[in-house]
Amino acid sequence: MSNADGNGQTGTLKLKVGLAEMLKGGVIMDVTNADQAKIAEDAGAVAVMALERVPADIRAQGGVARMASITKVREIMSAVSIPVMAKVRIGHFVEAQILQAVGVDFIDESEVLTPADERYHVDKFAFTVPFVCGARDLSEALRRIGEGAALIRTKGEAGSGNIVEAVRHMRLVTGHIKRLTAMPHDELMTEAKEMGAPYELVALVAQTGQLPVPNFAAGGIATPADAGLMMQLGAESVFVGSGIFKSSDPAARAKAIVEATTHYDDPDVLARVSEGLGDPMVGLEMSKLTERELLQTRGV
Amino acid sequence: MIGVLALQGDFAAHGRMLDRLGIDWMLVKTPSQLARVDGLIIPGGESTTLLKLMKQDGFIEALPAFHAEGGVLFGTCAGLIVLAKDVLNPAQFSFGLIDLAVERNAYGRQRESFESEGTAFLNGKATPLPMVFIRAPRILELRPGVTLLARYDQEPVMAQQGRVLVASFHPELTDDPRVHQYFVEMVATERQAISIDSPVNNPVT
């Protein structure tokens, strides 16, 4: 598209957050090949996340988890018409440059992959495509937004099939936002210092009562009820990782989670779509995981 | 009352724009809620997702009925795609309530999404209008009976046919409320026309 009628600008924050706005009320599904991507699209996914192995397999098999192979990413991009996201390792800006060159629509700088940098995240303002980052609390969320993230998601505990961590993270974010809005203005600088978050963003959240970018849920969502729970807790969309393709009937479960996310506040719909789905993925109990096995503590 | 279809997409952004104009609005998630609104905005989002949810929830029958009974419609981006007569890339079901053809994702992927300024003809006069295009569809052909309301780079980007308004860009993501104001006026005009026609106001007929 030439921009003869004006000077068309690409890669602005408005365009990045704008795409995140378009994904609201939807489900973003992890897929590892073109067939799964088609199943996800046919079920009503608003986007797919291309990756080499779903988090449950990364957890089970171990080893270094990297950006998906480009052949696979391209195969998935050509299989569906919805946006395609892909994950890069925390701090691995060259994986991000490659995914942008390939034409991926959204990049997830993800704790699910093995971190490439233990101190710094990617400078997300340097990219044309938008980034999503995980956060366990408001401080992490505002640091990532300060680095240029256009979308925040809870980290939860990926690949666990256990919603407890995502719930904790969502409640921490929304609870802290509420406290900020009630805080006197002269306390905000000290609050920002203690949070380790940019003062301007802390002041903005205190004033508006919400994150400056959309806030989605991820990590441990395995059932329509889990999706409904996260939406009722304030998430604006959900990411489902292992929950779909590690269940006994992925197509049916994917479709049910899509409906549950739209009608999250209607228990009759939630009841109807929860029926006849076969077995969900097997879940892990948090107390059985050692500190070293947790993914959420990466990149904080 | 204006409704904003909230099955999936940037319904919140449309709500913010209506708040700014001081207009009463509500989220619409079920066909029965259509009875409470005079105009309905179909937001941007993923048209494939939107259509699946509309089918499951009974909007496939309810939306054309709403339109036939005097309801006013406004679709942006994915909303344009579902209201168009013909859809390409890939071909998919659409309501055909405005006689134009549209090509999905015609401007490219997200890295090609752009914001700029186009030219609107909202009240007969050409004026600049800020436009945000996100993985936008392209209007390929305006057929007779469809009025061009805005152009970008020589191409049509906003159009109206009777009670249906569509845009391939996102006025709800800009700071300029004129397009939403135009839609609100379309709804008000239609309401007036209905009340003049109604037997309550014309007891003699």
Side-chain angles (χ1 to χ4, degrees), chain B residues 1 8 51 81-82 153 173:
Chain B
M1 175 76 83
Q8 193 278 312
L51 282 170
I81 295 169
V82 303
D153 196 20
L173 295 180

Side-chain angles (χ1 to χ4, degrees), chain B residues 4 9 102 124 182:
Chain B
V4 181
V102 64
Y182 183 86

Side-chain angles (χ1 to χ4, degrees), chain A residues 154 156-157 162-170 219 286 296:
Chain A
T154 58
E157 187 56 33
N162 188 336
I163 198 68
V164 66
E165 295 300 305
V167 168
R168 185 200 318 283
H169 300 161
M170 186 55 72
M286 285 307 133
Q296 59 179 281

Side-chain angles (χ1 to χ4, degrees), chain A residues 1-5 9 12 15 21-22 24 42 44-45 81 83 100-101 103 105 255 259 262-263, chain B residues 7-10 16 29 46 49 52-53 56-57 104-105 107 109-111 114-115 135 152-153 170 173:
Chain A
M1 173 98 189
S2 69
N3 291 312
D5 207 23
Q9 267 190 298
T12 63
L15 293 165
E21 291 275 348
M22 299 308 145
K24 281 186 177 178
D42 289 344
S81 65
Q100 174 166 290
D105 297 291
K255 186 165 172 285
E259 271 196 82
T262 293
H263 298 289
Chain B
L7 298 178
Q8 193 278 312
D10 74 332
R16 287 195 291 270
K29 283 191 172 190
E46 279 310 311
T49 307
K52 284 188 178 88
L53 290 163
Q56 281 158 15
D57 295 338
R104 289 183 60 202
N105 298 333
Y107 297 107
R109 305 191 72 97
Q110 174 62 13
R111 66 179 181 197
F114 63 98
E115 52 177 310
R135 288 173 45 98
Y152 178 81
D153 196 20
H170 295 282
L173 295 180

Side-chain angles (χ1 to χ4, degrees), chain B residues 41-118:
Chain B
I41 296 177
I42 305 178
E46 279 310 311
S47 63
T48 52
T49 307
L50 204 53
L51 282 170
K52 284 188 178 88
L53 290 163
M54 288 179 98
K55 271 182 197 159
Q56 281 158 15
D57 295 338
F59 280 97
I60 299 296
E61 301 74 30
L63 194 76
F66 172 76
H67 176 254
E69 288 158 16
V72 187
L73 296 165
F74 175 24
T76 61
C77 197
L80 151 66
I81 295 169
V82 303
L83 290 172
K85 186 77 173 281
D86 298 303
V87 181
L88 291 90
N89 187 33
Q92 63 187 30
F93 170 86
S94 59
F95 285 98
L97 294 174
I98 184 161
D99 199 1
L100 50 79
V102 64
E103 182 188 359
R104 289 183 60 202
N105 298 333
Y107 297 107
R109 305 191 72 97
Q110 174 62 13
R111 66 179 181 197
E112 280 86 43
S113 292
F114 63 98
E115 52 177 310
S116 191
E117 205 173 75

Side-chain angles (χ1 to χ4, degrees), chain A residues 270-298:
Chain A
L270 296 176
R272 176 171 56 77
V273 304
S274 296
E275 230 169 316
L277 294 181
D279 297 324
M281 70 177 284
V282 178
L284 296 171
E285 212 184 306
M286 285 307 133
S287 59
K288 300 272 161 63
L289 292 174
T290 66
E291 186 67 25
R292 290 166 56 84
E293 289 172 310
L294 291 179
L295 301 177
Q296 59 179 281
T297 49
R298 295 166 162 184

